[in-house]
């Protein structure tokens, strides 16, 4: 399986011995810091932490007002570095992301760097709100930004070695929205679903504790830069090279992949679905290799030096569900079908 | 009425002799009019005094005496009266002689023997007993033979009672009694019922232990795993018996739960299968070692931590718990 390489044009500013154990404690601190602002979302926080250490982009999905933006802002705050946020709108053009044109006080036209370029290579989190409201042209720009962590502007290539793209979209409306192209979706490491916390205690606190009323103050109360974002690329490489993926696990992942692509051959059965004609495509090699990256990080966060099938199972839905493309006849029931497909694949494929 | 016949062996002691055989009295039945199958009784009364005693062990024993006569029983009782010992002997005979005409036959005589007959033999000896007691100081008496007249049965019957019959034996004899037929149907039914109950119980037992033809019983995955692991161990086949045993047991867990069971699922699995709760620490240890074996480089450590013998024991215990849970 080809292992994905992250372009790393700039050397890390700081070098030093990387103790994985110390960093693991750091990562758990990072999670705890975020959990102060976003309660009842421990799983989403863990997934975002995995994404941060796997250097992968994340798409959040969920209802309105469940805390997607707050969560991402909390992550950006705890991560440190520069943070930019734009809102997806139907009239936003790709160029507006890169530069602004305006008239200055003298009435002369001026060009200034846009949100992406403003912070130079320090940009660590780029947050795209309501990504499905932006036009496909914007999505294309995003494609390159995500895949190569670079854009070309003003006849110059700009690199963003520490960049993570977080995007969100709500599932309520479909009017005036553009479905993300498959290529763009495939570039997200994870698609995380956020829903309101289900336990009584969190709900009560969320509604009645005054600190949650003012999001800006809440985010500002978090410790800034729990992690040093500039060392994360190196750390990610160390993690990927240290955590063991055994031949047995490789076999298992290959079997999973085959079962997802050819469900009938693995004996998968889903009610009212013809599994032979269900899958249109997807579950790309890139997706599978992202999955392994994330699984290594998950194993590391669990304090293990080897990836076990539980790690794969834990993150499989978030890493793979958005990469599975169904035939149009089943697309409307997508959520339900993909969920049972994945559940059945894990019930049927033997590990090891 | 049997005739009283006193054949007296008069053994009067002379003078002051202190011990003696005082008398042997034989009370005989009638001597004629006996038929085939009749029984008759003779009573013998022996009287001794002093320290003379009848040697009872020398009395005849019940059984066939001759081809035509059985001694059916012999009863002996003993009492004391006025310093004398009186022995009452009752002999019961049965005749098996089928006489065609009246015939005389003798019940054989038999001797009586005594202990300490230290008296001097009297002059008047028993007439039938020329005793040898005079030589050794030992005195014996004899119960004499009894001559009987045995009468034929057939002629009487034929002539007097059944004049219409011929002399043919098949005509004379009563027909054989029809044997009573024993009704075996209930017993056959009982046998059938118990046999089918036995077969049913046997099948249930086979089913319970998942033995052929239920060897592939889906609800006995651990029993099958236990068997496979044991045959692996005994056969020594396969290049990696430890790996194969791990896989077999994993598949058994999967089959038991209906899905793939990983180490993280063990507590949930045990919660659903309460029977295995006592094995929880060993299950955890098994899954941890299996993780080490398959997913890390350290296969040696896995085998050291959870050796194959432990694995076989765990499989056996799981199989046992699985059976007792059913």
């Amino acid at each position: 399986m080809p292992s994905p390489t992250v372009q790393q044009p700039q050397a890390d500013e700081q070098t030093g011995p990387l103790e994985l154990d110390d960093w693991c404690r750091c990562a758990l601190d990072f999670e705890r810091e975020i959990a102060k602002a976003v309660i009842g979302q421990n799983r989403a926080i863990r997934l975002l932490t995995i994404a941060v250490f796997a250097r992968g982009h994340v798409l959040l999905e969920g209802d309105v007002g469940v805390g997607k933006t707050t969560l991402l802002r909390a992550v950006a705050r705890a991560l440190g570095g520069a943070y930019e946020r734009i809102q997806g709108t139907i009239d936003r053009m790709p160029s507006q992301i890169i530069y602004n044109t305006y008239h200055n006080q003298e009435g002369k036209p001026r060009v200034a760097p846009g949100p992406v370029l403003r912070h130079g290579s320090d940009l660590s989190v780029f947050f795209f709100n309501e990504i499905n409201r932006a036009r496909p042209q914007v999505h294309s720009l995003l494609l390159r930004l995500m895949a190569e962590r670079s854009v070309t502007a003003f006849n110059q290539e700009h690199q963003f070695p520490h960049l993570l793209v977080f995007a969100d979209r709500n599932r309520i409306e479909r009017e005036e929205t553009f479905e993300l192209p498959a290529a763009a979706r495939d570039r997200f490491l994870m698609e995380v679903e956020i829903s309101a916390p289900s336990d009584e205690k969190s709900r009560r606190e969320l509604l009645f504790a005054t600190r949650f009323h003012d999001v800006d103050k809440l985010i500002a109360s978090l410790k800034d830069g729990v992690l040093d974002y500039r060392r994360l690329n190196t750390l990610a490489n160390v993690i990927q090279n240290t955590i063991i993926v055994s031949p047995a696990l490789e076999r298992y992942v290959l079997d999973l992949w085959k079962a997802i692509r050819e469900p009938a051959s693995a004996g998968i059965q889903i009610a009212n679905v013809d599994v032979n004609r269900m899958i249109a495509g997807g579950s790309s090699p890139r997706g599978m290799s992202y999955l392994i990256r994330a699984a290594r990080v998950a194993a590391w966060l669990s304090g293990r030096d080897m990836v076990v099938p539980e790690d794969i199972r834990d993150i499989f839905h978030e890493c793979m569900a958005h990469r599975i493309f169904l035939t149009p006849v089943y697309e409307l029931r997508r959520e339900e079908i993909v969920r049972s497909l994945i559940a059945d694949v894990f019930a049927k494929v033997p590990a090891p | 009425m049997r005739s009283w016949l006193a054949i007296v062996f008069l053994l009067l002691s002379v003078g002051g002799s202190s011990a003696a055989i005082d008398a042997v009295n034989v009370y005989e039945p009638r001597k004629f009019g006996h038929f085939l199958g009749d029984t008759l009784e003779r009573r013998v009364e022996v009287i001794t005094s002093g320290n003379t005693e009848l040697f009872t062990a020398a009395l005849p024993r019940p059984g066939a005496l001759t081809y035509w006569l059985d001694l059916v029983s012999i009863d002996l009782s003993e009492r004391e009266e006025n310093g004398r010992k009186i022995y009452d002997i009752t002999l019961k005979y049965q005749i098996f002689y089928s006489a065609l005409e009246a015939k005389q036959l003798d019940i054989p005589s038999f001797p009586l023997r005594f202990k300490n007959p230290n008296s001097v033999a009297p002059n008047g000896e028993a007439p039938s007993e020329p005793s040898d007691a005079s030589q050794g100081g030992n005195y014996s008496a004899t119960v004499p033979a009894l001559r009987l007249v045995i009468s034929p049965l057939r002629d009487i019957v034929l002539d007097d009672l059944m004049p219409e019959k011929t002399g043919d034996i098949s005509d004379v004899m009563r027909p054989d009694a029809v044997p009573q037929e024993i009704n075996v149907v209930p017993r056959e039914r009982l046998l059938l019922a118990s046999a089918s109950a036995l077969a049913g119980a046997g099948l249930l037992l086979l089913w319970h232990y998942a033995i052929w033809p239920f060897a592939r019983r889906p609800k006995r995955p651990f029993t099958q795993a236990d068997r496979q692991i044991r045959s692996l161990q005994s056969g020594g086949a396969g290049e990696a018996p430890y790996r194969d045993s791990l896989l077999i047991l994993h598949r058994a867990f999967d089959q038991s739960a209906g899905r793939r069971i990983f180490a993280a699922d063990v507590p949930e699995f045990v919660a659903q299968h309460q029977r295995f709760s006592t094995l929880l620490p060993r299950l955890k240890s098994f899954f941890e070692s299996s993780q080490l074996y398959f997913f890390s480089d350290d296969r040696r450590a896995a085998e050291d931590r959870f050796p194959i013998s432990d694995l076989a024991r765990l499989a056996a215990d799981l199989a046992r718990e699985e059976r007792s849970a059913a």
Side-chain angles (χ1 to χ4, degrees), chain B residues 137-323:
Chain B
N138 200 358
Y139 190 84
S140 68
T142 300
V143 175
L146 174 65
R147 174 154 296 178
L148 295 173
V149 177
I150 298 176
S151 306
L153 197 55
R154 195 179 65 168
D155 291 346
I156 298 168
V157 172
L158 272 182
D159 297 348
D160 299 351
L161 300 175
M162 300 183 286
E164 75 279 7
K165 303 272 183 185
T166 65
D168 193 2
I169 192 84
S170 65
D171 203 18
V172 174
M173 299 288 278
R174 283 169 123 193
D176 287 343
V178 178
Q180 191 193 354
E181 197 179 348
I182 300 168
N183 187 6
V184 294
V185 172
R187 297 217 169 132
E188 276 175 358
R189 284 202 190 126
L190 203 63
L191 178 70
L192 205 69
S194 51
S196 48
L198 183 71
L203 281 175
L204 270 178
L205 206 63
L206 290 178
W207 184 73
H208 181 66
Y209 281 97
I211 300 170
W212 187 92
F214 306 107
R216 301 241 152 256
R217 204 184 146 199
K219 283 200 175 165
R220 287 280 186 276
F222 290 117
T223 306
Q224 286 167 36
D226 178 34
R227 252 177 238 154
Q228 286 171 355
I229 289 173
R230 263 186 287 151
S231 74
L232 252 185
Q233 278 191 318
S234 61
E239 58 266 36
Y242 187 69
R243 182 194 147 87
D244 291 348
S245 306
L246 284 177
L247 285 178
I248 289 168
L249 206 52
H250 272 301
R251 289 301 88 80
F253 276 108
D254 295 350
Q255 205 183 336
S256 180
R259 62 194 179 92
R260 305 295 167 184
I261 293 291
F262 302 152
D265 307 328
V266 172
E268 193 191 334
F269 176 79
V270 169
Q272 281 170 2
H273 302 74
Q274 281 295 331
R275 263 281 160 193
F276 300 137
S277 55
T278 51
L279 302 174
L280 182 61
R282 286 164 67 201
L283 290 184
K284 279 186 175 157
S285 152
F286 160 74
F287 273 94
E288 278 165 17
S289 317
S290 165
Q291 269 189 351
L292 268 185
Y293 185 86
F294 285 110
F295 303 121
S296 82
D297 287 338
D298 208 359
R299 299 194 158 189
R300 211 56 260 163
E303 242 173 298
D304 288 346
R305 272 181 58 176
F306 204 79
I308 192 162
S309 54
D310 282 15
L311 194 85
R313 217 169 306 133
L314 178 64
D317 289 349
L318 282 166
R320 196 194 60 231
E321 291 299 332
E322 177 183 60
R323 270 200 298 278

